[in-house]
Amino acid sequence: MSVKLYIDAITDAMRQEMERDPAVFILGEDVGVRGGVFRTTQGLIDQFGEERVMDTPLAESAIVGVAVGAAAYGMRPIAEIQFADFILPAVNQIISEAAKLRYRSNNDWQCPLVIRAPFGGGVHGALYHSQSLEALFYHIPGLKVVIPSTAYDAKGLLISAIRDPDPVIYFEHKGMYRLIKDEVPDDDYVVPIGKAAVRRDGTDITVITYGLMSHYTLTAAEELAKEGISAHVLDLRSILPLDKEAILEAVRKTGKVLIVHEDNKTGGVGAEVSAIIAEEALFELDAPIARLGGPEIPAMPFSPPLEKFYMLNPDKIAKAMRELAAF
Amino acid sequence: MSVKLYIDAITDAMRQEMERDPAVFILGEDVGVRGGVFRTTQGLIDQFGEERVMDTPLAESAIVGVAVGAAAYGMRPIAEIQFADFILPAVNQIISEAAKLRYRSNNDWQCPLVIRAPFGGGVHGALYHSQSLEALFYHIPGLKVVIPSTAYDAKGLLISAIRDPDPVIYFEHKGMYRLIKDEVPDDDYVVPIGKAAVRRDGTDITVITYGLMSHYTLTAAEELAKEGISAHVLDLRSILPLDKEAILEAVRKTGKVLIVHEDNKTGGVGAEVSAIIAEEALFELDAPIARLGGPEIPAMPFSPPLEKFYMLNPDKIAKAMRELAAF
Amino acid sequence: MAFEIGETAVKRHRHIGLTDQDVMNIYENMLLARVLDERMWLLNRAGKLPFVVSGQGQEGAQAAAAYALDKQRDVILPYYRDLAMVLAFGETPLDILLANFGRANDLSSGGRQMPGHFSARRHRIFSQSSPVTTQLPHAAGIALAARMRGEDLVTYVSFGEGSSNQGDFHEACNFAGVHKLPVIFFCENNHYAISVPLHKQIGSKYVADRAAGYGFPGIVVDGNDVLSVYAHMKDAVERALRGEGPTLIEALTYRLHPHSSDDDDRSYRSKEEVEAARARDALVTFRRYMIDEGVLTEQEEKDLRNRLTQDVDRAIEEAERSPLPAPESALNHVYADGK
Amino acid sequence: MAFEIGETAVKRHRHIGLTDQDVMNIYENMLLARVLDERMWLLNRAGKLPFVVSGQGQEGAQAAAAYALDKQRDVILPYYRDLAMVLAFGETPLDILLANFGRANDLSSGGRQMPGHFSARRHRIFSQSSPVTTQLPHAAGIALAARMRGEDLVTYVSFGEGSSNQGDFHEACNFAGVHKLPVIFFCENNHYAISVPLHKQIGSKYVADRAAGYGFPGIVVDGNDVLSVYAHMKDAVERALRGEGPTLIEALTYRLHPHSSDDDDRSYRSKEEVEAARARDALVTFRRYMIDEGVLTEQEEKDLRNRLTQDVDRAIEEAERSPLPAPESALNHVYADGK
Ligand SMILES: Cc1ncc(C[n+]2csc(CCOP(=O)(O)OP(=O)(O)O)c2C)c(N)n1
Ligand SMILES: Cc1ncc(C[n+]2csc(CCOP(=O)(O)OP(=O)(O)O)c2C)c(N)n1
Ligand SMILES: [Mg+2]
Ligand SMILES: [Mg+2]
């Protein structure tokens, strides 16, 4: 056990899995000598060579498409998309190919592929280096989608993803790389895909969230505790599949639910979480199901006042929590 | 006024708009002498020539990307995607470019573009010629998404889409082309984007739906009427923006809501509709918000028993309606 | 190529290392594909099959290409017209028909995919989707995986000339070119993408002109010239196995039927054009070559055709008798755990 | 090209139809871009600008290309390094700085986009996004629209060599090739895509080798040879206006700075390599040419540099004083009706 940065937990998971299994390899833009533009693959090329830490041409559809072929033929590729925003040219390979390969071949072929993509805002990345893209994929059967919010989960979920026999999209929040650190086992361990985590026990209101917003919500919850409001906080961790039982249990705890994500609200993950609750736990509710997300604008602008306007923060979340508690 | 097929209403809208405005043109695969693989552009090349009814190379990203450039430079392109399933290679051009052009240029450039895409199943099209793709786009601010279910709406919404100053995705259900016919004015008229339509007045339960499922729901509603259950049916018509007022009004009518779509349930349009209701009309509800959609499998299989298993039909919808009414 | 049909004194196929038996094998492969394909159209017109997509006119190129590959060593990523190719790799007419009839024991997909979406892991045939050209990066990926695993093989990936205009063509060719992967990109240029004629599809004269942009050879070959296709394929295979990287082979062919059973080709091409192509069809010209060269007699050819027809007819009966999948089986195999 | 720097007896620029004033204009454009770019790095290092992406080393190619275009007639779709290009098309240092400082009256985006995402409808500069290569189909689309509207123009679209590996490059080039659209595809090959060197990026030797696959000329030119770039651009423009279609010009350049202010280039290239490139830099070599040819004196050059520096410094002050956008303005212009 040692305290590690979120980013180092990610690198650790890749290194250990590559040591364990020669089938695991990384491909992407600048993952080699550059160690990734965020330094997530730092040092790996020295240890594993340029074949297993492969710099590719600037072509996301090929990165994913080549990985699909390699995965089907016995390898365990980790395809890095430099910024989640640039996953869009690869959407056809992800949705038509990776997600459907096992199904369409009636279990004859498989696609054990991990796609890692740094997402999220608040880093002056503007419209195309800040987006949350999970809502495009959580609708697609055949995929799994995870979003770790702690260093512990970052490592454990990445190891799970690499060992998973099916394609997993692993969204890592770039704002958390060097902001978040916590206790991480040195050895290997897994955090199961599809299990949410209770981050805080509480009795008055329930907040369901994930990613960087988990931390902001916990900060807000501490603030509210001082005001006598006790918040229960659930971190989804997996977006597809959603942990339905954990969601319903968290609802039952307090009867008042707020769903928080950085992504814009319409059609976001919060829509499905809300719909699950309205379908299966309606009579547990003491208040309308509230959602808090980014505004309905195409993406997060560059200029600081605009970016700040877009991004949620503990204050905005606390405000929504107070309103819910007062309902 | 005359009774027209859904498909002919689509062709009419294009022809009349092309006659009215020389900036309107069509580009896509096989839209020329072939008149489209479904015959939606039949005859148009004879009337307008091969420049305005342009057969393109087999390259969806170029079809949309070229249309974005042309739209920005004063034209009004209608880009045809041969099957909605094949819109995926163009997702980057749609989401990064078309949807964001006006916003990112602070209103300096614009993108009056229509993307027409035949979608939907029940036509033995199997995994890749049957999908419903609207959930990938209804989350994206900057786009509009419409899905007409009558010949009247098909024409009126397409005219609205063509005249709209922003990008509109127009999903037309290929199973409805020659199945649905109704009264269509010969002259031009518009059906406004963003307005739902009440298809049936009722007092016991509300069904919110769109596309081919509107018809199946109406059939089911007639069946239920015989059993003494009165169903209120709302056809969304626009998926983005959703007609929130119409949704809430329909909920208030009966207090019991079922949302029905052909697409799979998780993260589908029904999730957002449900979440809107749970957020804004929770205390109007007398029953959990029910959703009925396709199963959580990657797409609709070919073999008739499998396809039938996937597709909703009036019986399956009637069953869900009965359950809700009995709640 | 140095050879043209009819020019030889010595049997031309011997020059390129093929025995009489070899060319017989190639011809049988072509003929089986043709007979099966014809039968499927009849079944479609009789209302028994909802959909047929045809390889007729392209069998010569396919069978020749297949003969240059090693069925135990190589992996193929065929496209929907590659009936002769997948038959060569071990699929039987019954396998094809079970897929066409959407039966439970369809090898490729358990009745899930449309006809023509070949797949069979046991035969080293990779699974195909419908959006065109996505298989090209997969071919590079399989070649890369094989190299990393220390296996010597060639991946063969085919596609129409229309499909060569998708971005994935470019990205896959370049990836394979950079890494000198053992991939053979085999373009079956039948001059139409559904209704769109070649000159509205590609800016250059040949698809093969694109290979130079990825640093590997691009070859144009008459797809009806079976021996020429074979010879070029053989070179490409050897080149790939020597570690010298990919080759793009463009076989000039013609599609004798409409795009699919849903298409009507009269709006975009003339009867005369199709008739002219029928005369160049490898089923006609290669047959003539074999008879002229004394490899095959008219009678032997007739007997062969009868035998293959009977085989196919038996397979049709069996496929029709075969059970449909259980409805709930639609839920299986979304993920490895069955869920 | 028939000319090489230094080889001429008669002034080389006169041979290609440029007056002394013309080359002065080009040089001033290059120099202004350089001065402004240098200032922005200083502001970044001083903590005043969060992000800079640099065109240093590529100004010669850009200014030469710009000089062959007509600012009232043509439309440009530049990429993020094209500072000299957009200055030539009418953007001022203040415009650039307002964008870099994210100010409300930033011409390109009202402070919404990252620096380097040029756009200005009044200057015929199309708006750019960050995912690379998406602008190439737009260039074809604008050229098509102009043709349909009866306007004669050329669209100029630039991109790095790394970006030429995206599918959109292929699809756009082919579309433009099929329709013989007046598009100039201008590849600024600076030999790196961030850290990835050329040989890991492209399978061929040159990006220009790809043009043949789309049926139009592909030309490789020394991007530091300003006059040569100009001459090839001029040919391409004339060809486009004659209706003969696109040209792909690949200018061989070098990026003198790290990829952006977030990058550190020491992990992937040597100091020596960068120093060698500095010696070939057009700012050095073209300056020497002009002085050698007597078009410019050392003193005039110094005065020019001072004047441009003062202009830029004044623009910096003004930009810094300029207001930030109002927070709620983030909600504007999602759709035409403001909503
Ligand atoms: C991405 C995509 N767009 C459109 C289609 C519809 N479609 C199926 S086959 C075809 C034409 C293919 O032409 P070509 O590649 O030349 O192959 P051919 O059918 O002529 O053998 C088209 C447009 C598709 N399958 N995938
Ligand atoms: C689709 C996409 N993928 C990745 C990136 C991240 N990225 C920005 S610039 C760049 C390298 C571009 O190299 P090149 O095209 O050669 O242009 P240069 O920066 O060298 O001028 C990369 C990988 C991006 N912007 N878009
Ligand atoms: Mg073809
Ligand atoms: Mg570069």
Side-chain angles (χ1 to χ4, degrees):
Chain A
M1 272 305 212
S2 51
V3 171
K4 285 230 156 103
L5 286 173
Y6 184 85
I7 189 168
D8 294 332
I10 291 170
T11 313
D12 269 19
M14 289 192 282
R15 181 184 299 107
Q16 289 180 10
E17 285 299 285
M18 290 176 78
E19 285 167 352
R20 188 187 59 80
D21 182 355
V24 179
F25 75 106
I26 299 170
L27 74 172
E29 295 153 12
D30 305 292
V31 297
V33 290
R34 185 70 180 79
V37 295
F38 293 104
R39 300 282 188 265
T40 45
T41 54
Q42 183 95 37
L44 299 184
I45 194 170
D46 301 326
Q47 188 175 348
F48 301 104
E50 63 178 7
E51 190 171 55
R52 288 183 71 196
V53 186
M54 178 179 280
D55 277 329
T56 62
L58 207 182
E60 283 76 8
S61 187
I63 291 172
V64 175
V66 165
V68 167
Y73 207 68
M75 300 299 289
R76 296 251 165 192
I78 303 172
E80 179 176 308
I81 301 293
Q82 198 162 80
F83 283 81
D85 314 67
F86 307 141
I87 207 169
L88 295 178
V91 159
N92 192 35
Q93 283 290 347
I94 296 171
I95 295 181
S96 298
E97 303 302 322
K100 294 183 174 58
L101 180 57
R102 181 187 298 281
Y103 188 78
R104 78 178 183 223
S105 69
N106 205 22
N107 212 30
D108 199 28
W109 292 98
Q110 57 170 343
C111 188
L113 159 67
V114 180
I115 300 174
R116 283 182 42 241
F119 81 106
V123 298
H124 313 311
L127 306 180
Y128 298 99
H129 297 80
S130 305
Q131 292 173 83
S132 296
L133 274 291
E134 64 275 15
L136 290 184
F137 301 104
Y138 88 108
H139 171 66
I140 307 295
L143 297 179
K144 299 180 182 180
V145 181
V146 299
I147 307 188
S149 76
T150 65
Y152 180 91
D153 285 354
K155 180 169 174 185
L157 275 172
L158 186 48
I159 294 177
S160 284
I162 293 169
R163 296 181 189 175
D164 199 280
D166 289 302
V168 181
I169 306 186
Y170 180 98
F171 284 116
E172 48 200 60
H173 198 295
K174 66 181 95 75
M176 286 172 43
Y177 278 143
R178 292 181 169 81
L179 183 72
I180 301 304
K181 51 172 178 253
D182 48 83
E183 291 276 353
V184 177
D186 296 323
D187 288 348
D188 86 20
Y189 64 95
V190 296
V191 170
I193 296 175
K195 292 274 166 245
V198 174
R199 296 294 182 202
R200 190 178 197 285
D201 257 305
T203 50
D204 295 329
I205 60 169
T206 295
V207 184
I208 301 175
T209 183
Y210 58 91
L212 179 60
M213 295 307 117
S214 297
H215 297 277
Y216 288 1
T217 300
L218 288 171
T219 306
E222 290 311 311
E223 200 54 39
L224 263 71
K226 295 181 202 148
E227 303 167 20
I229 301 169
S230 161
H232 190 79
V233 179
L234 185 74
D235 177 357
L236 288 170
R237 304 199 289 191
S238 287
I239 301 306
L240 176 63
L242 283 167
D243 188 346
K244 203 187 259 195
E245 267 148 57
I247 291 170
L248 298 177
E249 200 180 303
V251 171
R252 284 186 210 108
K253 274 268 184 177
T254 72
K256 289 180 170 186
V257 186
L258 169 69
I259 306 158
V260 177
H261 52 58
E262 186 177 324
D263 197 9
N264 61 301
K265 199 164 126 176
T266 301
V269 172
E272 179 63 30
V273 173
S274 174
I276 288 172
I277 297 168
E279 209 157 12
E280 309 210 9
L282 189 83
F283 298 110
E284 312 279 345
L285 292 173
D286 302 318
I289 305 171
R291 289 182 292 161
L292 182 67
E296 300 301 322
I297 62 178
M300 192 178 306
F302 174 68
S303 188
L306 303 180
E307 185 183 60
K308 224 172 130 194
F309 179 85
Y310 188 105
M311 276 297 280
L312 297 183
N313 59 31
D315 284 350
K316 293 183 196 177
I317 297 172
K319 183 162 170 286
M321 287 166 75
R322 258 182 228 112
E323 278 167 20
L324 180 62
F327 188 89
Chain B
M1 273 306 210
S2 52
V3 171
K4 283 228 159 107
L5 285 174
Y6 183 85
I7 189 166
D8 293 331
I10 292 170
T11 313
D12 269 19
M14 291 192 281
R15 181 184 299 108
Q16 290 180 10
E17 285 298 285
M18 290 176 78
E19 286 167 352
R20 188 187 58 79
D21 181 355
V24 179
F25 75 105
I26 299 171
L27 74 171
E29 295 153 12
D30 305 292
V31 297
V33 288
R34 185 71 180 79
V37 295
F38 293 106
R39 300 283 188 266
T40 44
T41 53
Q42 182 95 38
L44 299 183
I45 193 169
D46 300 326
Q47 188 175 349
F48 301 104
E50 63 178 8
E51 190 171 56
R52 288 183 72 197
V53 186
M54 178 180 279
D55 277 327
T56 63
L58 208 181
E60 283 76 9
S61 187
I63 292 172
V64 175
V66 165
V68 167
Y73 207 67
M75 300 299 289
R76 297 251 164 191
I78 304 172
E80 178 176 310
I81 301 292
Q82 197 161 81
F83 284 80
D85 314 67
F86 307 141
I87 207 169
L88 296 178
V91 159
N92 191 35
Q93 283 290 347
I94 297 171
I95 296 181
S96 298
E97 304 302 322
K100 295 184 173 59
L101 180 58
R102 181 186 299 279
Y103 188 78
R104 76 177 184 224
S105 70
N106 205 23
N107 213 29
D108 198 27
W109 292 99
Q110 57 170 343
C111 188
L113 160 67
V114 179
I115 300 175
R116 283 182 41 239
F119 82 106
V123 298
H124 314 311
L127 306 180
Y128 298 100
H129 297 79
S130 305
Q131 291 172 85
S132 296
L133 274 291
E134 63 274 16
L136 290 183
F137 301 104
Y138 88 109
H139 171 67
I140 307 296
L143 296 180
K144 299 180 182 180
V145 181
V146 300
I147 307 188
S149 76
T150 64
Y152 180 92
D153 285 353
K155 181 169 173 184
L157 276 171
L158 186 48
I159 294 176
S160 285
I162 292 168
R163 296 181 188 176
D164 200 280
D166 289 301
V168 181
I169 306 186
Y170 180 97
F171 285 115
E172 47 199 60
H173 198 296
K174 67 182 95 77
M176 287 171 43
Y177 278 143
R178 293 181 169 80
L179 183 72
I180 301 303
K181 50 170 179 257
D182 48 85
E183 289 276 352
V184 176
D186 296 322
D187 288 348
D188 87 20
Y189 65 95
V190 296
V191 169
I193 295 175
K195 292 276 166 246
V198 174
R199 296 296 182 201
R200 190 179 197 286
D201 258 304
T203 50
D204 295 327
I205 60 170
T206 295
V207 185
I208 301 175
T209 183
Y210 57 91
L212 179 60
M213 296 307 116
S214 297
H215 297 278
Y216 288 1
T217 300
L218 289 171
T219 306
E222 290 311 311
E223 200 52 40
L224 263 70
K226 296 181 202 150
E227 302 166 21
I229 301 169
S230 162
H232 191 79
V233 179
L234 185 74
D235 177 357
L236 289 170
R237 304 200 290 192
S238 287
I239 301 306
L240 176 64
L242 283 167
D243 188 345
K244 205 186 259 195
E245 268 148 57
I247 291 169
L248 297 177
E249 200 180 303
V251 172
R252 285 188 208 106
K253 275 267 183 177
T254 72
K256 289 181 170 183
V257 186
L258 169 69
I259 306 156
V260 178
H261 52 58
E262 187 177 324
D263 197 8
N264 61 300
K265 197 165 128 176
T266 300
V269 171
E272 179 63 30
V273 173
S274 174
I276 288 172
I277 298 168
E279 210 159 10
E280 311 212 9
L282 190 83
F283 298 110
E284 312 279 345
L285 292 173
D286 302 317
I289 305 171
R291 289 183 292 161
L292 182 66
E296 300 301 322
I297 62 179
M300 193 178 306
F302 174 68
S303 188
L306 303 179
E307 185 183 60
K308 223 171 131 195
F309 179 85
Y310 188 104
M311 277 296 279
L312 297 182
N313 59 32
D315 284 349
K316 292 184 196 176
I317 297 172
K319 184 163 169 285
M321 288 166 75
R322 259 182 226 113
E323 278 167 20
L324 180 62
F327 188 89
Chain C
M1 272 302 289
F3 302 104
E4 287 301 320
I5 284 178
E7 126 197 350
T8 46
V10 191
K11 285 174 189 168
R12 192 183 147 216
H13 57 273
R14 295 257 171 92
H15 273 297
I16 55 170
L18 290 176
T19 65
D20 288 4
Q21 185 57 47
D22 288 329
V23 290
M24 270 300 298
N25 293 345
I26 293 174
Y27 184 69
E28 181 169 337
N29 179 197
M30 290 163 58
L31 187 59
L32 175 59
R34 175 65 57 95
V35 167
L36 175 56
D37 203 312
E38 281 170 346
R39 275 295 191 267
M40 292 194 296
W41 280 92
L42 289 179
L43 289 165
N44 173 262
R45 293 317 182 208
K48 290 195 166 190
L49 282 183
F51 181 81
V52 175
V53 62
S54 183
Q56 288 188 47
Q58 303 178 204
E59 301 95 333
Q62 294 166 11
Y67 212 73
L69 295 167
D70 182 324
K71 282 85 196 167
Q72 267 69 53
R73 180 195 64 201
D74 301 330
V75 173
I76 61 169
L77 299 93
Y79 91 120
Y80 46 87
R81 299 203 191 283
D82 268 325
L83 185 55
M85 173 59 69
V86 299
L87 290 171
F89 262 70
E91 290 212 37
T92 63
L94 179 60
D95 291 332
I96 302 300
L97 287 157
L98 288 169
N100 275 262
F101 280 106
R103 301 297 152 146
N105 49 351
D106 151 35
L107 187 61
S108 65
S109 76
R112 290 170 173 191
Q113 292 244 59
M114 278 180 102
H117 290 62
F118 309 113
S119 172
R121 193 177 172 131
R122 76 186 68 158
H123 297 309
R124 309 181 67 75
I125 302 171
F126 193 60
S127 163
Q128 305 303 309
S129 66
S130 307
V132 298
T133 324
T134 52
Q135 71 273 27
L136 274 67
H138 304 166
I142 293 174
L144 178 69
R147 177 186 290 173
M148 294 176 95
R149 293 160 56 92
E151 277 181 45
D152 276 330
L153 58 61
V154 168
T155 63
Y156 162 94
V157 59
S158 59
F159 51 93
E161 84 293 345
S163 304
S164 79
N165 299 311
Q166 287 277 336
D168 269 4
F169 168 88
H170 180 65
E171 298 196 8
C173 285
N174 187 52
F175 194 102
V178 167
H179 292 283
K180 291 203 178 303
L181 296 174
V183 184
I184 299 176
F185 295 98
F186 194 81
C187 179
E188 302 185 25
N189 179 352
N190 59 16
H191 297 80
Y192 287 91
I194 307 187
S195 71
V196 184
L198 193 58
H199 72 275
K200 289 192 176 184
Q201 294 188 61
I202 68 170
S204 58
K205 183 152 185 220
Y206 294 112
V207 173
D209 293 339
R210 294 175 176 171
Y214 313 113
F216 54 79
I219 288 154
V220 183
V221 58
D222 176 355
N224 285 318
D225 183 346
V226 171
L227 299 179
S228 182
V229 172
Y230 172 81
H232 283 299
M233 269 293 296
K234 195 121 186 51
D235 287 350
V237 168
E238 282 161 11
R239 185 181 138 77
L241 292 175
R242 283 194 308 270
E244 293 169 20
T247 303
L248 170 58
I249 297 179
E250 176 179 6
L252 301 177
T253 65
Y254 195 85
R255 151 167 73 68
L256 297 175
H257 273 281
H259 174 73
S260 74
S261 52
D262 289 342
D263 184 31
D264 178 349
D265 58 350
R266 287 169 302 177
S267 60
Y268 57 82
R269 59 186 190 179
S270 68
K271 239 174 121 173
E272 293 68 39
E273 183 182 303
V274 180
E275 284 315 312
R278 283 197 181 280
R280 294 189 308 267
D281 177 13
L283 259 295
V284 174
T285 55
F286 194 53
R287 177 177 179 281
R288 188 183 321 122
Y289 168 81
M290 291 181 62
I291 288 169
D292 288 352
E293 296 294 336
V295 183
L296 184 73
T297 67
E298 295 274 4
Q299 186 56 45
E300 281 166 354
E301 208 274 342
K302 212 171 151 187
D303 292 346
L304 178 64
R305 194 179 284 263
N306 282 338
R307 174 166 65 75
L308 297 178
T309 305
Q310 281 166 19
D311 289 352
V312 168
D313 285 343
R314 259 195 308 275
I316 292 171
E317 276 167 41
E318 189 172 340
E320 283 193 281
R321 273 199 317 269
S322 213
L324 288 164
E328 312 71 37
S329 75
L331 297 174
N332 298 342
H333 309 310
V334 178
Y335 299 103
D337 53 9
K339 284 182 290 182
Chain D
M1 271 304 289
F3 302 103
E4 286 303 318
I5 284 179
E7 125 196 351
T8 47
V10 190
K11 286 174 188 167
R12 194 182 148 218
H13 57 274
R14 296 256 172 92
H15 273 297
I16 54 171
L18 290 176
T19 65
D20 288 3
Q21 185 57 47
D22 288 329
V23 290
M24 270 301 298
N25 294 345
I26 294 175
Y27 183 69
E28 180 169 339
N29 180 197
M30 289 163 58
L31 188 60
L32 176 58
R34 176 64 58 93
V35 167
L36 176 56
D37 203 312
E38 280 169 347
R39 275 294 190 269
M40 291 194 294
W41 279 92
L42 289 177
L43 289 165
N44 173 261
R45 295 315 184 208
K48 289 195 167 191
L49 281 183
F51 180 81
V52 175
V53 62
S54 184
Q56 287 188 47
Q58 304 179 202
E59 300 96 333
Q62 294 167 12
Y67 212 72
L69 295 167
D70 183 323
K71 282 85 195 167
Q72 268 69 53
R73 179 195 64 200
D74 299 330
V75 174
I76 61 169
L77 301 92
Y79 91 121
Y80 46 87
R81 301 204 189 282
D82 268 326
L83 185 55
M85 173 60 68
V86 299
L87 290 171
F89 262 71
E91 290 213 37
T92 63
L94 179 60
D95 291 331
I96 302 299
L97 287 157
L98 289 169
N100 275 261
F101 280 106
R103 302 296 151 147
N105 49 351
D106 151 35
L107 186 61
S108 66
S109 77
R112 291 169 173 193
Q113 291 244 59
M114 279 180 101
H117 289 62
F118 309 113
S119 174
R121 193 179 171 130
R122 75 186 67 159
H123 297 310
R124 309 181 68 75
I125 302 173
F126 193 59
S127 163
Q128 304 303 309
S129 65
S130 307
V132 297
T133 324
T134 51
Q135 71 272 29
L136 274 67
H138 305 165
I142 293 173
L144 178 69
R147 177 186 292 174
M148 293 176 94
R149 293 158 57 91
E151 278 182 43
D152 275 331
L153 59 60
V154 169
T155 64
Y156 161 93
V157 61
S158 60
F159 50 93
E161 83 293 348
S163 305
S164 79
N165 299 311
Q166 288 277 336
D168 269 4
F169 168 87
H170 179 66
E171 297 195 9
C173 286
N174 187 52
F175 194 101
V178 167
H179 291 282
K180 292 202 176 303
L181 295 174
V183 184
I184 298 176
F185 296 98
F186 194 80
C187 179
E188 302 186 23
N189 179 352
N190 60 15
H191 297 80
Y192 288 90
I194 308 187
S195 71
V196 184
L198 193 58
H199 71 275
K200 289 192 176 185
Q201 293 188 62
I202 69 169
S204 57
K205 184 154 186 217
Y206 294 113
V207 173
D209 294 338
R210 293 175 177 171
Y214 313 114
F216 53 79
I219 288 154
V220 183
V221 58
D222 176 356
N224 285 319
D225 184 346
V226 170
L227 299 179
S228 183
V229 172
Y230 172 81
H232 283 299
M233 269 293 295
K234 196 122 184 55
D235 287 350
V237 168
E238 282 161 12
R239 186 182 136 78
L241 293 175
R242 284 196 307 270
E244 293 170 19
T247 303
L248 170 59
I249 297 180
E250 176 178 5
L252 301 177
T253 66
Y254 196 85
R255 151 167 73 70
L256 296 175
H257 273 280
H259 174 72
S260 74
S261 53
D262 289 342
D263 185 31
D264 177 351
D265 58 350
R266 287 169 302 178
S267 60
Y268 57 82
R269 60 185 190 180
S270 69
K271 240 176 118 171
E272 293 68 39
E273 183 182 303
V274 180
E275 284 315 314
R278 283 198 182 280
R280 295 190 307 267
D281 177 12
L283 259 295
V284 174
T285 54
F286 194 54
R287 177 178 180 281
R288 188 182 322 121
Y289 167 83
M290 291 181 61
I291 289 170
D292 289 352
E293 296 293 335
V295 183
L296 185 73
T297 67
E298 295 274 2
Q299 186 56 45
E300 282 167 352
E301 208 274 341
K302 213 170 150 187
D303 293 346
L304 178 64
R305 193 179 286 264
N306 283 338
R307 174 165 65 76
L308 297 178
T309 305
Q310 281 165 20
D311 290 352
V312 167
D313 286 342
R314 259 195 308 276
I316 291 171
E317 276 166 41
E318 190 173 339
E320 283 193 283
R321 272 199 315 271
S322 212
L324 288 164
E328 313 70 37
S329 75
L331 297 174
N332 298 343
H333 308 312
V334 178
Y335 299 102
D337 52 10
K339 284 182 291 182

